[in-house]
Amino acid sequence: MAVVRIPDREWPATVVPGDAHERAQATGVLFRRLGWVTERLTRDERDDVERQLEFWYANGYCPDALLIAVSVLPGGERQRPRTAGERPGDFLRSRLNGWFDDGPAASMNEVREPPRPGQTFEAWFAQRRKQALDEGGYRRPSRLTGVGERARAQAREIAAGRRPDPVARVRESERRRAAALDSLPATPIVTPPPAAPATTRSTPRMVASFAGRQAIAAHSPAVRRIVVRLREERRGPTPAELAVLRNAVRDAHHHAGLGTLAAASAEVSDTTAELSPEAGRIHALLAHATDDRLPVDATVRLLLADPAP
């Protein structure tokens, strides 16, 4: 029979392994049934477990028989469960020790009959195939006759002949596209005049609002304290100080936006008595931002040089 391999998780627990590959599969089944999948064994511990299991496999024990043997003694007495600090090799050695034949004529390596008989993989596979045949779940593929082979070859030839050539298909598509372009009427190409470059001019009110945000952020007490401390200690800000600076600048920009709205309302109503300090500062900047012929940075510097009204 040809070599048949099945996945490790599908290895039958009633099969006695015959080679190294089958022993590894059977040991995997045994470890999963015992809940030892997460066990971390050293190389020596792994070799100890493999030597013990190889001995019992050679004596006709399958994974199911080993599970019964580590649970009960040959007389039916239950064996104690595995303790917390007991290693897998010591557990197997102590629990399987009761399954050695202690008769007067028995040798040291003679063991009792397995508590559950096992079978070879070939016998198990033949049994499964027979069961599938009986249940109608397995059908052996039938070979084609000479007529069937000729019909298959003819069908393949017809299918290949009807399949379009990809190169010819691309050439035909390009030919149709070129013919469609040639059929279009010729129209003169008119080049539009170059568009004038877009220039963005800032109004005095925009410059004053921007200068107000900078001024309010610079006058924030939290920002000033951190900046003075960094200058004195000649270092950069820590993550906590950087977070405080960002929050302070964000709050300052928020107050500057409210101050801009209040200052704009005061320009309409001419009531500047109830303005907050931020709104009064921005109102003064709006009053001084009258010349828009200077660049933005120069205008901001002039406004911040004397922010008082």
Side-chain angles (χ1 to χ4, degrees):
M1 190 181 81
V3 178
V4 178
R5 298 297 188 189
I6 63 176
D8 294 346
R9 288 190 170 276
E10 297 180 9
W11 180 261
T14 58
V15 168
V16 180
D19 55 19
H21 181 77
E22 293 182 358
R23 286 195 296 271
Q25 289 183 301
T27 302
V29 171
L30 182 63
F31 268 55
R32 284 193 294 273
R33 297 280 293 275
L34 289 172
W36 294 355
V37 179
T38 58
E39 290 285 342
R40 294 186 178 181
L41 304 179
T42 63
R43 183 60 186 176
D44 294 338
E45 292 174 339
R46 190 181 304 111
D47 292 342
D48 180 30
V49 170
E50 290 177 357
R51 281 193 300 269
Q52 292 190 61
L53 293 179
E54 184 177 358
F55 169 79
W56 292 99
Y57 292 150
N59 283 274
Y61 278 67
C62 62
D64 269 357
L66 289 172
L67 287 170
I68 297 173
V70 298
S71 301
V72 296
L73 291 171
E77 300 88 352
R78 296 188 63 84
Q79 302 210 61
R80 59 184 178 85
R82 180 187 174 189
T83 59
E86 196 172 14
R87 304 302 297 167
D90 299 334
F91 172 80
L92 293 175
R93 188 176 296 105
S94 64
R95 303 310 187 275
L96 295 176
N97 189 40
W99 286 88
F100 282 95
D101 193 353
D102 54 358
S107 62
M108 294 182 60
N109 293 332
E110 191 171 349
V111 299
R112 299 176 183 270
E113 290 293 327
R116 176 166 295 176
Q119 58 183 337
T120 63
F121 179 77
E122 289 77 8
W124 174 85
F125 187 76
Q127 181 181 355
R128 287 292 300 272
R129 186 167 57 180
K130 181 179 182 302
Q131 181 181 0
L133 285 172
D134 295 340
E135 295 177 355
Y138 176 79
R139 293 290 184 270
R140 185 184 300 275
S142 59
R143 300 187 61 179
L144 293 177
T145 61
V147 178
E149 291 288 349
R150 288 193 298 272
R152 174 187 291 176
Q154 185 178 4
R156 289 177 177 174
E157 183 179 357
I158 294 175
R162 291 180 178 178
R163 188 178 299 117
D165 184 7
V167 177
R169 187 170 62 251
V170 172
R171 288 177 178 174
E172 177 64 20
S173 175
E174 292 294 336
R175 186 191 63 78
R176 290 197 301 267
R177 185 179 294 107
L181 292 175
D182 293 340
S183 64
L184 295 176
T187 55
I189 300 175
V190 179
T191 304
T199 58
T200 303
R201 293 180 58 83
S202 57
T203 63
R205 188 174 300 277
M206 294 168 57
V207 176
S209 177
F210 175 70
R213 288 197 299 272
Q214 285 191 337
I216 292 176
H219 285 79
S220 172
V223 175
R224 282 189 169 185
R225 283 195 302 269
I226 294 178
V227 171
V228 169
R229 187 187 311 140
L230 296 180
R231 286 179 177 176
E232 291 176 351
E233 298 177 3
R234 295 183 179 180
R235 61 177 177 83
T238 63
E241 291 173 340
L242 192 60
V244 173
L245 282 174
R246 288 175 177 169
N247 291 335
V249 171
R250 189 180 298 110
D251 292 342
H253 287 178
H254 176 69
H255 293 318
L258 296 177
T260 303
L261 294 177
S265 300
E267 285 186 338
V268 177
S269 60
D270 292 332
T271 56
T272 60
E274 298 179 356
L275 291 179
S276 63
E278 293 84 0
R281 186 178 293 110
I282 293 179
H283 186 271
L285 293 174
L286 290 173
H288 286 78
T290 56
D291 189 1
D292 60 348
R293 291 172 297 177
L294 294 176
V296 174
D297 53 354
T299 306
V300 171
R301 284 198 299 271
L302 289 177
L303 291 173
L304 296 180
D306 185 16

